[in-house]
Amino acid sequence: MDMLKQLGKETDLWLDRLLPSEDRIPETIHKAMRYSVFAGGKRLRPALCVLTYRFCGGYDDERIFPPACGLELIHTYSLIHDDLPAMDNDDFRRGKPTSHKVFGEAIAILAGDALHAYAFELFANAGNIDVIREVAATIGTEGLVGGQVVDIESEGQTITEDMLLFIHRNKTAALLRTSMRVGALLANADEAQMKAVTDYAERIGLSFQIIDDILDIKGDQELLGKPIGSDEELAKATFPRFYGLDKSYEEASRLITEAKDAIAPFDGSKVFIDLADFLLNRAY
Ligand code: GRG
């Protein structure tokens, strides 16, 4: 999608500007941080943040790109830790060997920790305490960490629909939702905008993880930049495992329709409608 690619390029320029350079001491950790951040990725979270900021009336790139990059740093941190031997034990991510394969486990863990810490510096510099509170809550036990714990504990177990929804909402949808809400908060969105943005984000967020599950079964490894079939190997709690492939896609599609309906009445919503359609039918 052209719009996503363009925003991705702008985000990369900002990330390069913001991250410590590789020759700063200790070089290893700065190399490891940059390695994973610049390994690729769609830059969806910063794009959602910037687009929402503009949708809600914001116009200052200098104000929105640093916290938007902070969201990408949190996301990259979660991927590094997710791939560790103690978690999903994956060797490839974004088309390259994972951080622990290149730098060893200790540096990979620390690279995640350092990205986490630096992201909060960027959020703090945005000068809005609600942003800091919201991102912190999204990462903790009521967000990514909580979702990841249930995800790990449910491996090989009989799953219920409630568990499945809990995992997907917390592990994936929460950060997408917060990415949009950070953009809205920094543009001083009104209540109606905030509600529309939140309703839209929750639905595309859940649908995004359903499509991720489907792609892990029938996606193209080259395009995805990682081997497929790992969910099956670890007997993960996924939508296709619970509902089958066809019903999973139907559910993702239903959520995308609801997301579009939530935002459609607002001026400037076309970009989000196109994005929702792209996310439903994405191949990577
Ligand atoms: C507290 C941040 C934090 C981490 C600890 C490891 C962990 C808890 C949570 C894992 C969360 C996780 C990896 C969720 C998967 C989300 C997902 C669908 C990732 C793929 O996102 P894309 O497709 O990836 O946007 P790219 O590479 O394009 O950025």
Side-chain angles (χ1 to χ4, degrees):
M1 190 189 190
D2 288 349
M3 179 272 299
L4 207 52
K5 283 206 178 108
Q6 181 52 39
L7 272 175
K9 277 187 200 157
E10 284 178 62
T11 302
D12 283 357
L13 291 175
W14 274 95
L15 284 166
D16 189 37
R17 220 168 113 177
L18 292 166
L19 279 167
S21 67
E22 289 197 350
D23 53 15
R24 191 181 300 179
I25 292 169
E27 286 110 334
T28 323
I29 191 69
H30 297 128
K31 279 196 179 113
M33 289 161 79
R34 282 181 166 262
Y35 174 81
S36 292
V37 169
F38 292 113
K42 293 179 283 299
R43 310 300 193 215
L44 178 59
R45 290 143 194 90
L48 284 171
C49 180
V50 171
L51 289 171
T52 307
Y53 174 75
R54 292 175 181 163
F55 171 71
C56 296
Y59 53 84
D60 184 357
D61 280 3
E62 304 278 327
R63 177 158 170 70
I64 197 59
F65 269 98
C69 287
L71 293 157
E72 183 66 19
L73 301 187
I74 296 286
H75 170 56
T76 306
Y77 146 48
S78 80
L79 300 180
I80 295 173
H81 282 202
D82 190 54
D83 291 335
L84 287 168
M87 299 223 197
D88 282 2
N89 194 18
D90 281 314
D91 294 350
F92 282 92
R93 168 76 71 176
R94 293 174 161 175
K96 289 181 142 188
T98 41
S99 181
H100 63 271
K101 284 275 157 193
V102 179
F103 298 95
E105 266 186 76
I107 294 296
I109 292 169
L110 290 166
D113 295 341
L115 291 171
H116 185 185
Y118 189 49
F120 272 90
E121 246 184 88
L122 298 175
F123 300 134
N125 290 342
N128 181 324
I129 198 82
D130 291 335
V131 166
I132 300 173
R133 186 180 299 110
E134 181 130 355
V135 183
T138 300
I139 296 172
T141 54
E142 303 208 350
L144 271 85
V145 169
Q148 182 78 347
V149 168
V150 180
D151 187 30
I152 290 170
E153 286 179 348
S154 68
E155 279 173 20
Q157 304 295 313
T158 308
I159 49 167
T160 64
E161 189 179 35
D162 281 350
M163 273 163 72
L164 191 59
L165 289 170
F166 183 92
I167 294 167
H168 284 42
R169 285 201 175 113
N170 288 289
K171 202 182 79 167
T172 303
L175 190 57
L176 295 170
R177 175 184 190 263
T178 292
S179 298
M180 292 190 72
R181 286 177 57 90
V182 166
L185 284 168
L186 291 173
N188 296 317
D190 64 32
E191 231 174 87
Q193 287 170 325
M194 192 57 100
K195 181 175 176 348
V197 159
T198 306
D199 287 347
Y200 172 89
E202 284 172 353
R203 285 157 183 81
I204 61 153
L206 189 51
S207 155
F208 188 80
Q209 183 59 56
I210 299 175
I211 298 298
D212 199 75
D213 289 352
I214 294 174
L215 289 173
D216 194 66
I217 295 173
K218 54 177 218 178
D220 177 325
Q221 317 200 120
E222 289 287 311
L223 284 174
L224 291 170
K226 59 175 185 176
I228 61 167
S230 58
D231 289 344
E232 179 68 32
E233 224 169 86
L234 294 170
K236 286 273 187 192
T238 65
F239 261 73
R241 186 168 152 219
F242 195 78
Y243 289 112
L245 275 172
D246 289 350
K247 192 149 184 285
S248 297
Y249 183 81
E250 269 171 39
E251 181 58 10
S253 175
R254 187 188 68 75
L255 287 160
I256 288 294
T257 303
E258 276 188 19
K260 292 193 284 187
D261 289 348
I263 209 140
F266 291 79
D267 285 346
S269 60
K270 186 173 179 319
V271 63
F272 291 110
I273 289 168
D274 293 346
L275 182 62
D277 287 329
F278 166 76
L279 292 177
L280 177 66
N281 295 307
R282 71 196 170 99
Y284 58 94

